[in-house]
Amino acid sequence: MSPTEKSALREAISNVSRAGKPTLKTIAEMTGLAITTVSRALGNAPQISESTRRRVHAVAAEIGYLPDRAAQRLKTGRTNVISVLLDPHEEILGFGTSIMHGLARALQATSYHLIVTPNFLDGSNVDAVNYIIRNGMADGLIFSRTEPFDPRVRLLLENGFPFVTHGRTEFSTPHAFVDYDNFAFAYEATKRLIAKGRRKVTIILPPRRLTFHQYMLHGFMTAVREAGVAYEIPETLDLDSPADMIRDHVRRRSAEPDPPDGYTCPGEVSALATITGMSDNGLTLCAEYDIVAKQTSRLLSQIQPKVETIYEDLPAAGEAMGRLLLRRIAGENAEDLTMLLGPQFGFPTP
């Protein structure tokens, strides 16, 4: 853009600021293009040259143009909204922020906006999903903490509504998902504890109703049976248990006969609670016991560098879900829109 054009653009922006909300007509007047050409350029129509599309997008960005979503919905039937159901559980540090960061990366070059609805732990929030479908509140939906036969998935499949889950289900009808390999996490974490010489291992599992409970249990038990070591699984705790409950359980159990000395922790909060409980009884990490934990932030490594970790990349999961959902909205088959993300190991090298 030449200096003269830049000067003209600055003057036009000043005029727009005084006139109010910029419109397609505003961009047309500033670029000398027809309104229909501007509209097609903003929609990235292939009939419009790339240079024209770039120029129109640049002017729209400069003047802060936003499309009239109500008008777009009447014209296209689309809301340009992605709805996200997020869980407020505290075990996974920064879960919502990390997922949203990845989603924002996937959608930043599109016209889509994110709307977040909290998904509370005591239910699967079917009512919220039904409301979104019934009222056409979004073009697609993303949610987590799936169950084997999740009622939200059933409802969405029955209505043909585009969605991507963070987690798998057991439905025979395929659906789009992004998941973390929790079998591999539990298997490798437990194997690592056994390799470090721990005689009795334990794990804090997700709630039984969630699909990844069975994957994590299977991974843990596979490692235990291969090695033939002793193990125990606490019946009164799960991933959603408050940190103080985990701490009190570990403190009490470590003072009793034949306690575990190897802990597979599915999150940073449970790892820190375990360390606190053991420390209360005078037990030292990497001496009397070891922990391998799933890490979703870098906090645990900074606070307790002796804890060996396996990383779950939540921003990558969020970005993958966003990209898969865009493809699903565009009509791609759900069976082609699945992704299983592998663990990233932080074990020290020998």
Side-chain angles (χ1 to χ4, degrees), residues 236-249:
T236 58
L237 295 176
D238 61 37
L239 183 65
D240 292 345
S241 298
D244 58 348
M245 185 181 294
I246 297 173
R247 177 202 63 210
D248 293 345
H249 169 85

Side-chain angles (χ1 to χ4, degrees), residues 138-268:
D139 297 330
L141 181 64
I142 287 172
F143 58 94
S144 61
R145 294 173 68 85
T146 53
E147 302 173 14
F149 295 99
D150 199 301
R152 299 168 297 180
V153 171
R154 179 180 286 109
L155 180 62
L156 290 159
L157 289 173
E158 289 172 351
N159 284 273
F161 193 89
F163 69 97
V164 176
T165 61
H166 185 231
R168 286 167 280 179
T169 66
E170 294 182 3
F171 286 105
S172 57
T173 303
H175 65 81
F177 70 80
V178 174
D179 201 6
Y180 178 75
D181 194 341
N182 280 290
F183 171 90
F185 159 73
Y187 178 73
E188 296 296 343
T190 307
K191 277 185 61 178
R192 180 65 176 176
L193 291 169
I194 294 168
K196 290 171 71 69
R198 294 306 163 191
R199 56 172 187 77
K200 187 174 187 178
V201 293
T202 187
I203 186 172
I204 299 172
L205 292 169
R208 290 181 180 274
R209 66 181 179 85
L210 300 179
T211 308
F212 77 117
H213 170 98
Q214 62 194 33
Y215 290 116
M216 203 171 284
L217 176 61
H218 186 200
F220 175 77
M221 292 305 303
T222 300
V224 164
R225 287 167 179 157
E226 285 179 356
V229 300
Y231 72 95
E232 68 177 56
I233 299 174
E235 295 294 327
T236 58
L237 295 176
D238 61 37
L239 183 65
D240 292 345
S241 298
D244 58 348
M245 185 181 294
I246 297 173
R247 177 202 63 210
D248 293 345
H249 169 85
V250 170
R251 180 172 56 206
R252 181 175 60 254
R253 183 68 189 92
S254 64
E256 296 172 346
D258 193 30
D261 60 355
Y263 290 81
T264 295
C265 295
E268 290 149 296

Side-chain angles (χ1 to χ4, degrees), residues 198 275 283-291 304-307:
R198 294 306 163 191
I275 292 169
L283 300 172
T284 304
L285 180 64
C286 297
E288 288 90 359
Y289 72 100
D290 279 294
I291 291 175
Q304 291 289 347
K306 291 183 179 180
V307 175

Side-chain angles (χ1 to χ4, degrees), residues 31-329:
T31 59
L33 300 169
I35 293 177
T36 53
T37 302
V38 170
S39 177
R40 290 174 181 171
L42 289 172
N44 293 316
Q47 303 94 324
I48 308 300
S49 70
E50 183 179 348
S51 61
T52 299
R53 293 200 304 267
R54 282 202 305 266
R55 184 158 65 100
V56 169
H57 278 284
V59 171
E62 286 284 351
I63 66 175
Y65 168 78
L66 292 173
D68 187 324
R69 288 167 59 186
Q72 281 195 329
R73 182 170 181 177
L74 286 173
K75 182 179 179 181
T76 66
R78 293 281 178 86
T79 64
N80 282 334
V81 168
I82 301 297
S83 187
V84 185
L85 299 180
L86 282 181
D87 304 306
H89 60 293
E90 64 181 24
E91 167 56 46
I92 302 178
L93 294 176
F95 177 83
T97 304
S98 298
I99 290 291
M100 292 299 293
H101 179 73
L103 283 171
R105 281 204 308 247
L107 303 179
Q108 65 181 352
T110 75
S111 59
Y112 281 97
H113 301 267
L114 290 170
I115 293 180
V116 180
T117 302
N119 185 33
F120 295 102
L121 300 180
D122 56 355
S124 57
N125 221 347
V126 178
D127 289 342
V129 173
N130 192 43
Y131 179 81
I132 291 168
I133 295 172
R134 187 175 64 248
N135 294 285
M137 302 299 293
D139 297 330
L141 181 64
I142 287 172
F143 58 94
S144 61
R145 294 173 68 85
T146 53
E147 302 173 14
F149 295 99
D150 199 301
R152 299 168 297 180
V153 171
R154 179 180 286 109
L155 180 62
L156 290 159
L157 289 173
E158 289 172 351
N159 284 273
F161 193 89
F163 69 97
V164 176
T165 61
H166 185 231
R168 286 167 280 179
T169 66
E170 294 182 3
F171 286 105
S172 57
T173 303
H175 65 81
F177 70 80
V178 174
D179 201 6
Y180 178 75
D181 194 341
N182 280 290
F183 171 90
F185 159 73
Y187 178 73
E188 296 296 343
T190 307
K191 277 185 61 178
R192 180 65 176 176
L193 291 169
I194 294 168
K196 290 171 71 69
R198 294 306 163 191
R199 56 172 187 77
K200 187 174 187 178
V201 293
T202 187
I203 186 172
I204 299 172
L205 292 169
R208 290 181 180 274
R209 66 181 179 85
L210 300 179
T211 308
F212 77 117
H213 170 98
Q214 62 194 33
Y215 290 116
M216 203 171 284
L217 176 61
H218 186 200
F220 175 77
M221 292 305 303
T222 300
V224 164
R225 287 167 179 157
E226 285 179 356
V229 300
Y231 72 95
E232 68 177 56
I233 299 174
E235 295 294 327
T236 58
L237 295 176
D238 61 37
L239 183 65
D240 292 345
S241 298
D244 58 348
M245 185 181 294
I246 297 173
R247 177 202 63 210
D248 293 345
H249 169 85
V250 170
R251 180 172 56 206
R252 181 175 60 254
R253 183 68 189 92
S254 64
E256 296 172 346
D258 193 30
D261 60 355
Y263 290 81
T264 295
C265 295
E268 290 149 296
V269 173
S270 56
L272 291 170
T274 297
I275 292 169
T276 303
M278 298 294 272
S279 179
D280 286 348
N281 285 337
L283 300 172
T284 304
L285 180 64
C286 297
E288 288 90 359
Y289 72 100
D290 279 294
I291 291 175
V292 176
K294 182 192 288 187
Q295 184 167 238
T296 54
S297 74
R298 299 303 179 187
L299 181 63
L300 183 60
S301 295
Q302 294 172 4
I303 295 176
Q304 291 289 347
K306 291 183 179 180
V307 175
E308 297 190 4
T309 59
I310 299 175
Y311 184 59
E312 179 178 3
D313 193 337
L314 291 176
E319 184 170 4
M321 286 191 288
R323 297 193 185 284
L324 292 185
L325 184 55
L326 291 174
R327 292 168 59 188
R328 184 72 185 111
I329 291 171

